[in-house]
Amino acid sequence: MDHFLYRDGLLHAEDVSVAEIAAAVETPFYLYSTATLTRHFKLFDEALEGLPHLVCYAMKAASNQAILKTLAAQGAGMDVVSGGEYARARAAGVPGSRIVFSGVGKTNAEIRAALEGGIRQFNVESEPELEAISRIAAGMGVAAPVAIRVNPDVDAKTHAKIATGKSENKFGIPIARARAVYAHAAALPGLKVVGIDVHIGSQLTDLAPFEAAYRKVADLTEALRADGHEITRLDLGGGLGIPYTRSNEAPPLPMDYGALIKRTVGHLGCEVEIEPGRLIAGNAGILVTRVIYLKSGEGRDFLILDAAMNDLIRPAMYEAHHDIVPVIEPAPGIEPQPFDIVGPVCESGDTFARARPMPPLGPGDLVAFRSAGAYGAVMASEYNTRPLIPEVMVHGDQFAVIRPRPSFDEIINRDTIPQWL
Ligand SMILES: *Cc1c(COP(=O)(O)O)cnc(C)c1O
């Protein structure tokens, strides 16, 4: 459920008319709903009630300071995957004790910065990384809390570009080698092994792969304890999918996911962490854009929008579907017609949808891409020198620009001219 609904025939974000924001901000822009963000966070938090737990929002999904502050105020921790995200989380007021650091390629500088600023745990993805953290932490005279990311060799049955839990993926260490790697970790200075980490992929629409992975984690917990390791924390990753179409998809609910966690690992007495990103932010954001031209081609009509693949790359990169809805609710009984919906960038990949049934639309009309809150703004670029589009947040009857559109001068002035020119 989200808070983007028609009211009196006009799409609203909570209590604000989307058309009103478009008039003030100019299109295209991302628009987030505070109520939806907090609702989704609370669904996870409540699903784990009864277990000691921390929901660490995977901020790579959408990392604007206003989003982070909104979630942190609800009690969220953060899952970061770079030094930049660590700095963003700290700038939003999140203490290091609530930040977990994931990712396969942490640099020495990133490890050092996290140790200096405080970190709940590093989720370690390889033995060379384990050794690097050990060396840096020992040099600083501290013990770095670590969980080791195991790859459970489970097929997440999701898009190949976002599956991470099979043995052929680059993530984590093979679960079969886990006992040897934990023994290695225990022998290294500067480390405090606190737990096990697993993350098998994104946009999972079935709980079965989670169940298979978490059962393996439970078995591993017992094996490692028998080996003498103190395993007090299980980080179970993110990845729960969201409905990208209104009609025919019903991914599992956080409540059922929570029950699965309790069933599979609840008996171990561990503190549980989860790292949802998409389910918190995805349906909490839309992309609002305007039709520039209606172009009739050979046997097909094109809606050319002022948003493009550089603003929202998911359709080009993952063949992702986004529902696209008019901001003015179509009158009942209007016959939809098929449109190819495209952006202005000079690439055939700049196509959001083919033969999409839409009500009649023309130049100047506003449309909204639903489910654009996660992996939207954060993956945008300025290709074609199209400025990064603004982000706007709604809270009840208020709205605020939370990242303005840069001017052309600001973009151009980031370049510096070498002295020989
Ligand atoms: C991407 C990622 C997540 C978040 O995945 P979602 O599908 O957005 O929930 C969590 N943990 C790790 C390690 C990730 O790489």
Side-chain angles (χ1 to χ4, degrees):
M1 199 213 116
D2 61 48
H3 292 77
F4 300 101
L5 299 168
Y6 290 111
R7 232 187 250 181
D8 302 326
L10 287 177
L11 188 65
H12 278 63
E14 302 187 20
D15 299 332
V16 190
S17 156
V18 170
E20 191 185 308
I21 301 173
V25 177
E26 294 185 359
T27 54
F29 60 91
Y30 280 100
L31 179 59
Y32 305 100
S33 153
T34 302
T36 312
L37 284 168
T38 54
R39 180 188 132 82
H40 289 164
F41 171 78
K42 283 187 184 150
L43 285 177
F44 279 113
D45 205 33
E46 286 163 14
L48 294 179
E49 217 168 73
L51 278 184
H53 68 272
L54 183 64
V55 178
C56 293
Y57 169 60
M59 60 180 273
K60 72 175 193 265
S63 58
N64 188 288
Q65 290 287 292
I67 294 174
L68 303 188
K69 271 186 181 287
T70 299
L71 293 170
Q74 299 294 317
M78 297 289 154
D79 173 43
V80 308
V81 293
S82 71
E85 285 195 349
Y86 179 83
R88 266 187 187 278
R90 294 306 310 270
V94 182
S97 60
R98 301 177 81 79
I99 301 174
V100 301
F101 201 147
S102 301
V104 293
K106 301 174 195 76
T107 64
N108 288 352
E110 288 175 324
I111 293 166
R112 192 179 305 279
L115 284 171
E116 280 167 358
I119 191 78
R120 179 179 180 82
Q121 99 214 8
F122 291 100
N123 289 335
V124 179
E125 302 232 10
S126 66
E127 285 179 272
E129 182 191 335
L130 203 55
E131 286 162 12
I133 295 174
S134 161
R135 195 171 56 244
I136 295 165
M140 292 168 66
V142 297
V146 297
I148 295 174
R149 178 168 176 181
V150 296
N151 187 324
D153 197 20
V154 165
D155 185 353
K157 299 197 170 58
T158 184
H159 191 281
K161 284 185 185 159
I162 48 176
T164 58
K166 282 287 282 174
S167 54
E168 71 253 29
N169 300 127
K170 69 181 176 185
F171 301 95
I173 56 146
I175 197 161
R177 294 208 51 240
R179 289 173 74 180
V181 177
Y182 274 84
H184 183 187
L188 288 171
L191 298 181
K192 176 169 169 38
V193 177
V194 294
I196 305 172
D197 171 46
V198 69
H199 170 75
I200 56 174
S202 197
Q203 186 53 16
L204 273 72
T205 52
D206 178 7
L207 286 180
F210 288 116
E211 172 140 18
Y214 297 169
R215 289 205 183 283
K216 289 188 177 190
V217 168
D219 290 347
L220 179 63
T221 304
E222 280 166 357
L224 292 175
R225 284 176 172 170
D227 290 347
H229 302 286
E230 213 181 321
I231 302 296
T232 58
R233 219 181 257 172
L234 300 178
D235 183 334
L236 301 175
L240 200 58
I242 64 169
Y244 276 98
T245 58
R246 302 277 113 179
S247 41
N248 55 9
E249 266 180 282
L253 301 172
M255 196 49 73
D256 297 329
Y257 176 66
L260 162 68
I261 288 174
K262 290 176 189 170
R263 198 163 70 236
T264 50
V265 304
H267 59 289
L268 295 165
C270 286
E271 183 177 20
V272 166
E273 296 160 349
I274 54 171
E275 304 167 343
R278 188 187 308 268
L279 202 146
I280 289 179
N283 280 324
I286 62 175
L287 168 63
V288 182
T289 165
R290 216 179 267 285
V291 177
I292 307 177
Y293 295 115
L294 169 58
K295 174 175 167 179
S296 297
E298 292 270 319
R300 56 180 71 221
D301 291 332
F302 295 92
L303 282 178
I304 302 175
L305 306 178
D306 65 5
M309 63 187 292
N310 69 296
D311 305 311
L312 177 67
I313 204 171
R314 299 190 67 261
M317 187 149 149
Y318 309 117
E319 292 110 39
H321 170 100
H322 285 269
D323 277 357
I324 304 171
V325 299
V327 165
I328 298 177
E329 189 173 22
I334 287 274
E335 197 55 37
Q337 46 184 109
F339 288 103
D340 281 14
I341 302 178
V342 303
V345 164
C346 312
E347 300 218 15
S348 309
D350 190 21
T351 299
F352 291 118
R354 291 187 198 282
R356 179 72 64 88
M358 296 291 288
L361 287 166
D365 287 341
L366 292 167
V367 297
F369 285 65
R370 286 188 169 278
S371 316
Y375 308 106
V378 286
M379 294 182 104
S381 76
E382 286 179 338
Y383 186 41
N384 283 205
T385 308
R386 295 169 48 84
L388 284 182
I389 66 177
E391 294 181 284
V392 181
M393 183 177 257
V394 165
H395 179 41
D397 60 2
Q398 311 173 64
F399 74 90
V401 174
I402 57 173
R403 187 184 69 194
R405 192 189 316 275
S407 68
F408 292 146
D409 278 347
E410 284 171 307
I411 295 174
I412 295 163
N413 290 335
R414 286 204 305 257
D415 298 353
T416 52
I417 309 296
Q419 46 81 16
W420 64 83
L421 284 177

